[in-house]
Amino acid sequence: MQDYVEQIDINQYLPLIIDVGINVLLAALILIVGLYIANKMSSIINKIGERYDKLDNTLFRFLGSVAKYIILAFVAIAVLNRFGVQTASIVALLGAAGLAVGLALQGTLSNLAAGVMLLLFRPYKVGDFISAADRFGNVQEIDLFTTILKTFDNQHIIVPNSQIWGAQIVNHSFHDVRGVDMHFGVAYKENTDEVRKVIDAVLAAHPHILKDPAPFVEVETLNDSSVDFLVRPFCHGEHYFDILYSIPEQIKKALDEAGIEIPFPHRKLIIEKEQ
């Protein structure tokens, strides 16, 4: 009689045991497949960044991690759903929490969005000289939140990406060949052809100034007290600052040696004696 009662009890709970077992197996299967898909997707995205030199690995590692955790979040919800947990409230709670965190980290998220855009469109890269956010320097590092610059006087400047992306960016290293603009004024009495010959001779003697394209030397402005020349020699980017800071002194000395006057602002005072 006792064996019969025990048999009735086992038969009563057998469907429940089978249902729980099936749910556990399905949950394990969902978890295993979900982990595989998440890791595979992250690996695929990372390999895209490694395959092409023009794409930044930092961005694709970040996107790979985001894709992985989004898939894992759906996997976790699916696993909980197999055990009868009401996931709608959990999803709503996560959404509310995400909104609260997003509002609290609004500035950080704007830097993140700007960092993604900078890494995606790459207006500059590590090693370039740029002017951005009222700063000028050599790019040392680009990450998802900041850009690190090194100035000529060895200052370490960390600029939030949102300040860079939302304003004008000047990449001084984008083109291999650059023109160096300089301005020189001479007196009105001087012969402009002779002035041009002196300047051309200085530019031709410099080892870093290119012959092709040829330097541009022409009269730009007739000022109040001077005839102003625009001088634009061309060079490779790495020699830009060498030319910018050496040529003006060389031209000044050459003009002095040629006896060509370089005027400076002056005021003429006329005194009349009353009768």
Side-chain angles (χ1 to χ4, degrees):
M1 184 69 179
Q2 185 175 359
D3 294 337
Y4 177 76
V5 172
E6 291 177 356
Q7 185 178 1
I8 292 298
D9 292 337
I10 292 173
N11 291 332
Q12 181 180 358
Y13 290 105
L14 188 58
L16 179 61
I17 294 172
I18 293 174
D19 187 52
V20 171
I22 292 173
N23 285 333
V24 169
L25 291 175
L26 289 176
L29 181 62
I30 292 171
L31 186 60
I32 293 171
V33 173
L35 287 172
Y36 173 79
I37 294 175
N39 290 325
K40 190 68 175 178
M41 183 62 67
S42 177
S43 177
I44 290 172
I45 295 175
N46 289 337
K47 286 180 179 178
I48 292 175
E50 295 172 357
R51 187 179 305 164
Y52 301 99
D53 294 335
K54 293 185 178 181
L55 300 178
D56 196 286
N57 288 339
T58 304
L59 174 61
F60 281 87
R61 285 196 297 268
F62 170 74
L63 294 177
S65 298
V66 170
K68 177 179 178 179
Y69 289 114
I70 289 176
I71 293 172
L72 290 179
F74 282 106
V75 169
I77 292 173
V79 169
L80 292 175
N81 193 46
R82 290 307 308 173
F83 292 103
V85 177
Q86 295 297 323
T87 56
S89 57
I90 297 176
V91 172
L93 181 62
L94 290 176
L99 178 61
V101 171
L103 292 174
L105 300 176
Q106 186 175 1
T108 303
L109 292 177
S110 66
N111 288 327
L112 174 62
V116 171
M117 300 301 289
L118 289 173
L119 292 172
L120 184 62
F121 291 101
R122 301 190 73 181
Y124 56 83
K125 62 182 183 300
V126 173
D128 287 349
F129 284 94
I130 67 168
S131 297
D134 296 327
R135 298 290 185 177
F136 173 78
N138 181 259
V139 179
Q140 300 292 296
E141 184 179 341
I142 309 169
D143 59 32
L144 289 168
F145 298 97
T146 61
T147 294
I148 299 175
L149 302 177
K150 179 182 178 182
T151 63
F152 285 115
D153 55 350
N154 283 336
Q155 292 187 47
H156 187 75
I157 302 178
I158 302 174
V159 185
N161 284 334
S162 59
Q163 295 183 15
I164 295 177
W165 182 252
Q168 175 180 277
I169 303 171
V170 180
N171 187 343
H172 299 278
S173 303
F174 185 83
H175 295 289
D176 181 55
V177 175
R178 290 202 56 196
V180 187
D181 281 7
M182 293 172 282
H183 299 82
F184 301 95
V186 298
Y188 268 90
K189 66 178 183 178
E190 304 297 345
N191 187 309
T192 56
D193 292 331
E194 293 299 323
V195 174
R196 189 179 289 107
K197 288 180 182 179
V198 172
I199 295 175
D200 284 338
V202 173
L203 299 180
H206 199 287
H208 295 149
I209 291 179
L210 301 176
K211 302 297 186 293
D212 185 22
F216 179 88
V217 182
E218 295 295 341
V219 173
E220 181 183 34
T221 308
L222 299 178
N223 243 325
D224 292 338
S225 58
S226 65
V227 178
D228 293 345
F229 278 79
L230 170 61
V231 179
R232 181 186 294 130
F234 291 88
C235 66
H236 292 292
E238 61 266 25
H239 302 306
Y240 177 87
F241 294 103
D242 174 45
I243 292 173
L244 180 64
Y245 296 120
S246 65
I247 287 296
E249 181 180 0
Q250 295 176 19
I251 289 180
K252 198 271 183 188
K253 290 179 178 178
L255 293 175
D256 289 343
E257 291 175 1
I260 296 174
E261 180 184 351
I262 301 175
F264 54 89
H266 59 279
R267 181 173 297 173
K268 186 176 182 180
L269 182 63
I270 301 175
I271 300 176
E272 294 185 357
K273 186 177 180 180
E274 294 184 359
Q275 297 296 328

